[in-house]
Amino acid sequence: MTTKRTIGVLGGMGPLATADLYRKIIEATPARRDQDHLHVIIDADPSVPDRTEALLHGGPDPTPWLVAGAQRLEGAGASFIVIPCNTAHAFLGAVRDAVAIPIISMIDETAAEVAALLPRGAAAGILATSGTVSAGLYQDALAAAGLRALVPSPDAQAQVMAAIAAVKAGDLSRATTEKALVAAYELIEQGAGALLAACTELPLILQPNDIPVPLIDPTAVLARAAVREALAARSLPEGVTPDAIRT
């Protein structure tokens, strides 16, 4: 007998981005009826302190909130955890140390997908929070995959942050998209062969047809990775039911 594994989502950063991940998990799941879908436990705590503020401006450390959420998911029976917030991955080491279940890295999964798309030595542009850019999360991951990373100029980065703030405030208008496109086209002009929508708010306003190069959606990448891991079903001993174990 085999059992599917339970996905734990450490979310709330922000709420729309968490909902977007859940929808993309559903869409990535091969299912024809309700019962074919996966067990997903979502812990969405919007009170987690701002990650960029912590990294750049001495704001409150979000680690205790992230650890508490991860431990709640573990206690609820999650088999592994995914975090639909790129910037939160700057604090991933401490969160991993606090739980016994795996945490899938959105950064690593996305870098691997970009490396499969672009030739070695090619450049990818990063659209992300200033915290993610400052922490070098994607720069390091792309370099390890043999790719170059391009980041926006300070003025263009300010437009990215304005777009992210607008999405968090519920503004998904074309005007918000245009703010992000300022940086997108700057990076394309610098030679980016693909762009990463590397803040989970950005896939809510950017679409592939907005730009002339491939647009990588790390939220969708993470959703596919979560489904892959959840469907890596393990065999159960004879006579043991799924209810008798932590999936």
Side-chain angles (χ1 to χ4, degrees):
M1 181 180 180
T2 60
T3 181
K4 299 172 185 175
R5 305 172 74 212
T6 298
I7 301 170
V9 177
L10 182 54
M13 304 170 279
L16 273 176
T18 300
D20 187 42
L21 174 66
Y22 184 38
R23 182 182 184 91
K24 286 169 178 170
I25 288 173
I26 293 167
E27 292 171 345
T29 302
R32 299 178 63 184
R33 56 179 187 155
D34 290 349
Q35 291 75 20
D36 295 332
H37 282 280
L38 299 167
H39 185 191
V40 180
I41 303 172
I42 298 174
D43 186 285
D45 181 6
S47 71
V48 178
D50 188 277
R51 285 64 60 197
T52 291
E53 285 294 316
L55 289 167
L56 298 184
H57 306 299
D61 182 1
T63 303
W65 282 261
L66 297 172
V67 166
Q71 290 176 337
R72 286 192 295 268
L73 288 168
E74 182 177 36
S79 305
F80 61 90
I81 292 171
V82 292
I83 307 174
C85 174
N86 291 271
T87 316
H89 284 68
F91 309 90
L92 188 58
V95 184
R96 278 179 164 158
D97 289 344
V99 293
I101 58 176
I103 301 178
I104 297 175
S105 169
M106 171 188 276
I107 311 298
D108 292 343
E109 293 287 338
T110 300
E113 185 152 320
V114 179
L117 175 69
L118 297 178
R120 189 171 183 84
I126 302 170
L127 300 172
T129 66
S130 298
T132 295
V133 172
S134 176
L137 298 177
Y138 277 103
Q139 294 95 312
D140 292 345
L142 291 171
L147 299 171
R148 295 183 294 118
L150 300 176
V151 300
S153 66
D155 287 346
Q157 180 62 31
Q159 290 295 303
V160 175
M161 290 300 291
I164 292 168
V167 174
K168 287 182 179 293
D171 181 0
L172 306 182
S173 69
R174 185 65 190 180
T176 299
T177 300
E178 294 292 341
K179 291 182 174 66
L181 289 178
V182 171
Y185 277 94
E186 179 185 87
L187 294 171
I188 292 168
E189 289 174 3
Q190 292 175 5
L195 293 183
L196 281 64
C199 170
T200 46
E201 270 71 40
L202 293 177
L204 296 166
I205 56 167
L206 290 175
Q207 300 299 321
N209 60 6
D210 286 323
I211 56 174
V213 300
L215 178 67
I216 308 300
D217 176 358
T219 304
V221 173
L222 186 62
R224 291 192 291 271
V227 171
R228 178 194 70 215
E229 291 301 311
L231 294 179
R234 51 183 175 158
S235 297
L236 299 181
E238 187 70 27
V240 175
T241 66
D243 290 338
I245 65 168
R246 294 178 61 192
T247 57

